[in-house]
Amino acid sequence: MLKLRELVKHYPAVGGESVRAVDGVSLQVRPGEMVALYGPSGSGKTTLLLMVATLLEPTSGTVSIAGRDVSSVSEREASHFRLSELGFIRQNFDLLPGVSAIDNAVLKLLKSMRWRDAHRQITPLLERLGLGGRLSHRAETLSMGERQRVMIARALSTEPSLLLADEPTGSLDTQRSREVLELLRELCRERNVAVVLVSHDPLAAGYADRVFALRDGKLGDYEADQPAALPTIH
């Protein structure tokens, strides 16, 4: 599904040397597979996701989705890709204040269908995420875990083939983090969605099929600093 080949993003810096935010990353992710990229702040995780999402142009290398190179498509093509084929759970909760949970969740769907049809389509997913009793509640009245679930519903609403998650548990406590990661894994396996999750939370590694470390822009082997903290997967 997703194939990164020698992906590079360098930024000019004072003194003539360039900052190597992403430095030659190659990776393949299959449909239904969750791959976690673990690394500290400044390791290049978000930069990598933005290139995969066609929101940032690579310095060199390619991003291929289902055999198609999307790293150099037009803005119109990139916009269509992000709307129809990509789900993106951003680091910050991008919810509209004063707007209900269900109306926040259907924002992507409203570009292709009527409000009533969008509500009908998104409701089973919101119920699956445990938000059946919170559909009409305004965004600011939801807990952090509930807000994250609304973001997951929005990202999956168009039935994308690829899901990107940028620090999806960054604002959650341990229990809520476990719940969100478990839901992500279950939903993406059910829907056969390829997932790339980036995090500095060691919990995330226990829910992924494969885990890599991203440090100084380079992809390498992952070694858990606190293996006892990772959940047991049955």
Side-chain angles (χ1 to χ4, degrees):
M1 168 49 61
L2 172 66
K3 184 176 181 180
L4 310 181
R5 183 174 181 182
E6 291 296 324
L7 200 60
V8 172
K9 185 62 180 180
H10 292 177
Y11 294 100
V14 178
E17 287 193 22
S18 55
V19 175
R20 302 187 174 193
V22 174
D23 197 16
V25 170
S26 294
L27 177 68
Q28 293 189 53
V29 185
R30 299 181 297 273
E33 181 182 31
M34 179 183 287
V35 171
L37 305 182
Y38 177 80
S41 297
S43 61
K45 304 187 305 296
T46 298
T47 298
L48 180 63
L49 285 193
L50 290 175
M51 287 192 287
V52 174
T54 68
L55 292 168
L56 187 63
E57 186 175 352
T59 301
S60 63
T62 59
V63 178
S64 296
I65 310 292
R68 180 190 180 198
D69 184 358
V70 299
S71 52
S72 57
V73 297
S74 68
E75 180 50 42
R76 182 177 180 179
E77 291 174 311
S79 178
H80 178 74
F81 161 71
R82 290 192 295 269
L83 179 63
S84 61
E85 299 180 51
L86 178 73
F88 197 169
I89 304 171
R90 295 176 178 270
Q91 189 170 135
N92 298 317
F93 296 135
D94 187 22
L95 299 181
L96 300 176
V99 176
S100 69
I102 191 168
D103 283 333
N104 265 293
V106 299
L107 289 179
K108 290 182 71 177
L109 289 174
L110 293 178
K111 296 182 181 296
S112 60
M113 64 179 65
R114 295 180 302 176
W115 177 85
R116 183 175 297 177
D117 293 332
H119 272 223
R120 187 179 299 113
Q121 181 163 317
I122 201 72
T123 296
L125 178 57
L126 288 167
E127 291 174 344
R128 173 74 175 79
L129 289 164
L131 293 170
R134 306 287 282 172
L135 301 184
S136 62
H137 288 246
R138 297 189 307 274
E140 61 270 25
T141 69
L142 301 175
S143 69
M144 298 297 281
E146 289 169 339
R147 295 179 195 184
Q148 188 62 280
R149 291 168 191 236
V150 172
M151 294 297 298
I152 292 171
R154 183 195 294 174
L156 292 174
S157 64
T158 56
E159 300 185 357
S161 56
L162 174 64
L163 179 71
L164 307 178
D166 188 2
E167 301 285 4
T169 62
S171 301
L172 306 179
D173 60 28
T174 299
Q175 180 58 33
R176 292 291 178 259
S177 294
R178 291 179 187 273
E179 291 175 1
V180 164
L181 290 166
E182 182 69 26
L183 280 167
L184 270 179
R185 185 177 63 175
E186 287 181 5
L187 284 166
C188 292
R189 285 181 176 174
E190 289 171 7
R191 293 167 175 243
N192 208 32
V193 179
V195 185
V196 178
L197 181 154
V198 302
S199 182
H200 63 266
D201 179 1
L203 262 181
Y207 290 89
D209 298 296
R210 289 186 292 149
V211 187
F212 298 93
L214 190 65
R215 295 185 182 277
D216 300 321
K218 293 182 178 294
L219 206 62
D221 295 331
Y222 170 78
E223 294 182 7
D225 295 326
Q226 296 177 306
L230 300 179
T232 300
I233 305 301
H234 300 288

